[in-house]
Structure formats: C-alpha cells, structure tokens
Amino acid sequence: MENDLGPRLTPAQRFGRELSRVRREAGLTQARLGKRLECSSSLVAHIEIGDRNPKPDFAARCDQIFGTGNLFSQLCRNITSPTGPEWYVRWAEQIEPGARVLRSWNPLLVPGLFQTEAYARAVFQGALATSEQEVEDGVSARLRRQLILEREKPPSVWALMDEGVLRRLIGSPEVMYEQLDRLTSLATRQNILIQILAPEAPCTAGWASAFSIAESVNTPTVASVESAGRGEVSAEHEFVSMMWNRYDRIRADVCPSTQSLGMIKEARDQWKQRM
C-alpha cells in the first residue's frame, strides 16, 4: 500500500535508509563502515536495504561512529518493539516490564520469557500469513522482552506448564533440546520457579486458555488472558480474582519444583536421542 509520501517503510527499512544516508554523508563505503563496525560489508548492505534487522549493539556502535546521539538506538528499538494486537503490546510494553512478580499458566507452549531464539522463530513461522520479516520482527521483540530477566533486580517468575509442552515438537528435536536445556538452567535461578502439570493430574481449570498475572509495587494487579484469535488485559477486580482462582487451582495439581525439573531433564534427554 502506498500513501502520498510514497511506499510505507517498515521500521527495519527506516533504519536502513537512515544508515545509508548518514554513511554516504560521512564519505564511507559499506566496506569501510563494516570494518569499523567489525562486521562484513554484506551485513551492512543487507541492513541498509531492510532485509536484516540490526542488533542493539550494532545500532549503538553506529551512533558512536557517526556522533548521532541515540538516533540509531531509537530506530533499533522501533524495530524490536512488540508488534501485534493492542492488548499484547500493552502487556509487553507497559505491564510486564514494571512487574515485581509474574505468574503464568501455559498449556501449549514454553512461555515467551523463556523461549530460545530458535524456538520463538519456529512458533512465529507457524502463524498464518506471516512474512519472513514479520517473523524476524517478532523474534527480535520476544528476545528483547527477556531482558527483564537479566536486570540487577529481576522480577520473580512463577511459571506453570503442562507436561505436553515438553513433548510437543516445535521446530525440530534440536530446537526442543536447546529449549529444554535453557529451561533447566532457568529453573536453577532463585527468582524463577517452574512447575509442570503431569498428564495424570485431574486438572480442568487451565484448559480454556493461557494466562498471566502481573503484580507491581504501586499499581493494581493485572491479568492477561490469551485464547485463539483474541486476548484481554485488565486490572478489573472481578476479572483478576477469577484468574487468581484459576491459577491457584492449577497450582494445586502441579508437581513440586524438584520433580518438575526432573521431568524437564528427562524430556530434554529424550529429544537429544532424536537429534
């Protein structure tokens, strides 16, 4: 689609067009810029035409080289900002980053905060009518969300998952092995608790949808519910209470954390045998 100003540019294309302009004004070839950025001229060329997304450190180096303040860093953030329905963007940009405690129930997939790059890419590639650029934008945004886990004071994360998540093939056995290996590592952190719902558990409270609950210090508790085709984010008391009740009922049926970790390791090793 075009408007009066010409073709609509994606955030990646805007970054690339600005990089090309500033580079040419500085009298640098793509090869010379690549040398200063310690990357290939091919990567510079791909980023300039918008078919590769720059990493945050690439953008920061550009700002340093060209003396552009935070121009390229901001353009890079525009690329990796969460995209999707309004309710999801609100959760990812406004609610999740400020949470003190995050609780979630995931009956189908590893929660986004824990996903590896390869697992996330496989998830996005499975979406209907999704272009390659949209896949990469989604992956970048998901990895950027995970930066809250690397803060000096990260939130406490309580993640409940169905055992089927460990067995469901997403991508390939290699992708699954890497993903479950990451879960075993995350489960050892003091601020992260992962519990698995065993197949024989008589739980029905969680089959309706995945959901998350975010507790913050100075704002009301907020719940997010995601189902096929739509989602909802709300701090309305009745809605949050309903989600809390559902979470408590599911947690009553999940395995203890040590047993859950053993289940993750067992599934991980089985995926390794299939590689």
Side-chain angles (χ1 to χ4, degrees):
M1 179 181 297
E2 298 188 3
N3 55 32
D4 294 338
L5 300 177
R8 181 180 179 183
L9 300 178
T10 67
Q13 289 170 334
R14 283 194 290 272
F15 185 103
R17 179 169 292 189
E18 194 65 15
L19 177 60
S20 177
R21 180 188 68 79
V22 173
R23 174 183 60 77
R24 286 184 279 105
E25 289 179 354
L28 294 177
T29 64
Q30 291 176 339
R32 288 179 62 191
L33 177 58
K35 186 174 182 180
R36 296 186 64 176
L37 290 169
E38 299 181 349
C39 69
S40 67
S41 60
S42 175
L43 177 60
V44 174
H46 280 294
I47 288 176
E48 286 192 355
I49 63 176
D51 65 0
R52 287 284 297 275
N53 287 339
K55 302 293 186 183
D57 59 340
F58 180 99
R61 291 285 300 278
C62 286
D63 282 327
Q64 183 180 22
I65 290 170
F66 296 118
T68 47
N70 68 344
L71 170 65
F72 288 106
S73 294
Q74 181 59 55
L75 289 172
C76 184
R77 282 194 291 271
N78 291 341
I79 295 171
T80 57
S81 293
T83 58
E86 181 179 351
W87 66 269
Y88 172 76
V89 173
R90 180 188 173 203
W91 176 266
E93 289 192 332
Q94 301 177 24
I95 308 301
E96 191 175 68
R100 178 179 60 87
V101 181
L102 289 165
R103 292 178 171 85
S104 67
W105 158 246
N106 295 272
L108 298 175
L109 298 169
V110 171
L113 284 180
F114 296 165
Q115 290 178 9
T116 65
E117 181 175 349
Y119 187 98
R121 182 170 289 106
V123 170
F124 282 110
Q125 287 174 336
L128 296 176
T130 301
S131 70
E132 183 177 346
Q133 187 61 56
E134 288 172 326
V135 169
E136 294 306 314
D137 288 347
V139 172
S140 295
R142 181 144 301 178
L143 296 180
R144 184 168 178 265
R145 281 177 58 200
Q146 297 174 6
L147 293 177
I148 66 171
L149 300 179
E150 309 306 324
R151 293 174 179 169
E152 184 177 352
K153 292 184 178 180
S156 296
V157 183
W158 298 46
L160 312 182
M161 286 181 278
D162 180 58
E163 197 262 355
V165 172
L166 309 179
R167 310 290 179 180
R168 184 170 296 109
L169 178 65
I170 301 294
S172 68
E174 289 81 4
V175 170
M176 292 302 301
Y177 172 80
E178 179 189 30
Q179 177 62 75
L180 298 192
D181 194 53
R182 173 165 169 77
L183 286 184
T184 63
S185 176
L186 290 171
T188 64
R189 298 190 185 186
Q190 292 186 342
N191 65 305
I192 294 177
L193 179 68
I194 300 175
Q195 292 180 274
I196 305 300
L197 181 69
E200 62 272 13
C203 174
T204 58
W207 300 133
S209 63
F211 62 87
S212 299
I213 302 171
E215 292 181 85
S216 302
V217 176
N218 298 316
T219 57
T221 297
V222 179
S224 169
V225 177
E226 181 179 358
S227 58
R230 62 178 301 174
E232 181 178 1
V233 175
S234 176
E236 195 274 325
H237 177 72
E238 185 175 351
F239 178 75
V240 174
S241 295
M242 179 176 65
M243 292 299 102
W244 264 115
N245 180 60
R246 186 172 298 179
Y247 181 87
D248 288 340
R249 291 177 64 186
I250 297 171
R251 194 170 181 213
D253 289 329
V254 296
C255 299
S257 57
T258 52
Q259 183 180 348
S260 295
L261 180 57
M263 295 167 69
I264 296 171
K265 289 181 176 179
E266 179 185 3
R268 176 198 64 183
D269 294 343
Q270 290 177 354
W271 285 115
K272 186 175 183 179
Q273 294 174 7
R274 294 178 57 180
M275 290 168 56

